[in-house]
């Protein structure tokens, strides 16, 4: 389970306004974080939190490190940036507005966004991301961004062939070149987090049932209590 660390990240250094439009965590949720971590610890699920890096970078680093391993990886997240990590043996599990599960493999990403997983940063470089306050290029919406990335393949190729773009869009792209490349950098998931653990550290372990029993009793989770194995 990856967590955002409280220290500033490279994205905030690059763009001080990064995520500033995102509303703060509600107090009634903030007060539960400690309890949530206690639950994960009792379940013996590894918690990874690296100062200076967001949770997406932690997951991105693990995916990059394990691509050569014979393991199937599933990233459970609603962050569309993480779709760029989808590939052979790597899928994303998200939910729709009704809370129903949605699986993203290569084909599902392309069907949803009109570009391949590795082109997601290029797409966001042009259309931006209001959730993370990534600016993109003003006036370039999702449809135009998909069309340009589909045609040229990447932001680099687009700017190398900018004379082929017609009309006002070419002028807009030309005047916001630096912003487009900055936006792509911000939208690219880092894979360079210093994580000491190897694959063995993430093997599934038997939960600490007695600790869970105490937690479920404390939190009055009666249904979960009834599902626990009988105490020895």
């Amino acid at each position: 389970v990856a967590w955002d660390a409280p220290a500033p990240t490279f994205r905030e250094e690059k763009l001080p306004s990064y995520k500033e439009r995102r509303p703060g965590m509600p107090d009634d949720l903030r007060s539960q974080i400690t309890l949530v971590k206690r639950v994960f610890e009792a379940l013996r699920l590894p918690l990874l939190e690296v100062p200076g890096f967001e949770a997406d970078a932690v997951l991105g680093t693990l995916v990059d490190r394990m691509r050569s391993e014979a393991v199937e990886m599933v990233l459970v997240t609603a962050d569309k940036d993480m779709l760029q990590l989808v590939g052979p043996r790597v899928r994303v599990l998200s939910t729709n507005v009704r809370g129903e599960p949605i699986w993203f493999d290569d084909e599902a990403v392309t069907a949803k966004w009109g570009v391949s997983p590795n082109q997601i940063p290029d797409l966001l470089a042009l259309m931006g991301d209001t959730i993370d306050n990534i600016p993109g290029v003003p006036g370039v919406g999702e449809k135009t961004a998909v069309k340009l990335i589909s045609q040229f393949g990447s932001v680099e190729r687009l700017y190398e062939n900018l004379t082929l773009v017609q009309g006002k869009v070419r002028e807009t792209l030309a005047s916001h070149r630096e912003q487009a490349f900055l936006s792509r950098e911000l939208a690219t998931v880092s894979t360079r987090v210093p994580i000491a653990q190897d694959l063995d550290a993430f093997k599934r372990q038997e939960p600490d049932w007695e600790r869970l029993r105490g937690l479920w009793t404390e939190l009055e989770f009666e249904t979960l209590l009834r599902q626990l194995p009988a105490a020895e």
Side-chain angles (χ1 to χ4, degrees):
V1 182
W3 296 82
D4 285 343
T9 69
F10 85 94
R11 288 182 172 123
E12 290 161 318
E13 294 172 358
K14 292 280 186 179
L15 184 70
S17 61
Y18 176 68
K19 284 189 176 180
E20 71 175 8
R21 294 182 186 174
R22 184 177 294 186
M25 184 183 297
D27 289 339
D28 57 351
L29 175 58
R30 186 184 304 277
S31 64
Q32 297 179 64
I33 295 299
T34 300
L35 285 172
V36 171
K37 288 187 175 181
R38 286 174 60 195
V39 169
F40 284 133
E41 288 166 357
L43 290 168
R44 291 189 172 134
L45 292 176
L47 301 176
L48 292 176
E49 185 174 343
V50 183
F53 294 93
E54 294 174 275
D56 66 352
V58 172
L59 294 178
T61 298
L62 292 176
V63 168
D64 187 64
R65 182 185 297 179
M66 296 182 189
R67 285 192 189 276
S68 60
E69 302 284 347
V71 293
E72 296 286 334
M73 289 178 276
V74 176
L75 305 176
V76 183
T77 175
D79 189 345
K80 61 178 173 290
D81 292 4
M82 302 299 283
L83 296 176
Q84 65 192 262
L85 299 173
V86 169
R89 301 195 306 277
V90 182
R91 294 177 293 163
V92 165
L93 174 59
S94 186
T95 57
N96 61 20
V97 294
R98 295 183 297 277
E100 299 164 339
I102 303 177
W103 288 91
F104 285 101
D105 56 11
D106 285 74
E107 292 182 1
V109 172
T110 303
K112 171 71 174 178
W113 291 102
V115 298
S116 61
N118 67 321
Q119 292 174 319
I120 291 291
D122 295 283
L123 180 68
L124 296 178
L126 300 182
M127 63 179 276
D129 187 349
T130 55
I131 295 177
D132 288 340
N133 206 27
I134 295 175
V137 176
V140 176
E142 181 179 336
K143 289 184 178 179
T144 301
V146 169
K147 178 181 178 181
L148 290 170
I149 297 304
S150 297
Q151 180 179 355
F152 294 100
S154 67
V155 170
E156 284 101 339
R157 291 296 302 277
L158 168 62
Y159 277 96
E160 288 169 0
N161 297 277
L162 202 54
T163 55
L164 300 179
V165 180
Q166 302 297 315
K168 189 176 180 180
V169 175
R170 180 172 64 193
E171 298 175 14
T172 302
L173 288 168
S175 60
H176 292 86
R177 184 182 189 279
E178 184 176 341
Q179 186 165 300
F181 280 95
L182 172 61
S183 295
R184 192 186 62 171
E185 184 177 359
L186 294 172
T188 301
V189 173
S190 172
T191 58
R192 299 188 300 275
V193 179
I195 298 174
Q197 295 93 329
D198 58 16
L199 186 59
D200 286 339
F202 307 117
K203 285 184 176 179
R204 184 178 178 183
Q205 300 183 59
E206 188 77 5
D208 186 335
W209 296 115
E210 288 309 305
R211 191 173 177 184
L212 278 178
R213 191 181 309 280
L215 271 172
W216 291 171
T217 301
E218 175 187 343
L219 300 173
E220 299 180 0
F221 289 170
E222 301 296 335
T223 301
L224 292 175
L225 272 171
R226 290 194 295 269
Q227 296 173 357
L228 287 175
E232 295 182 359

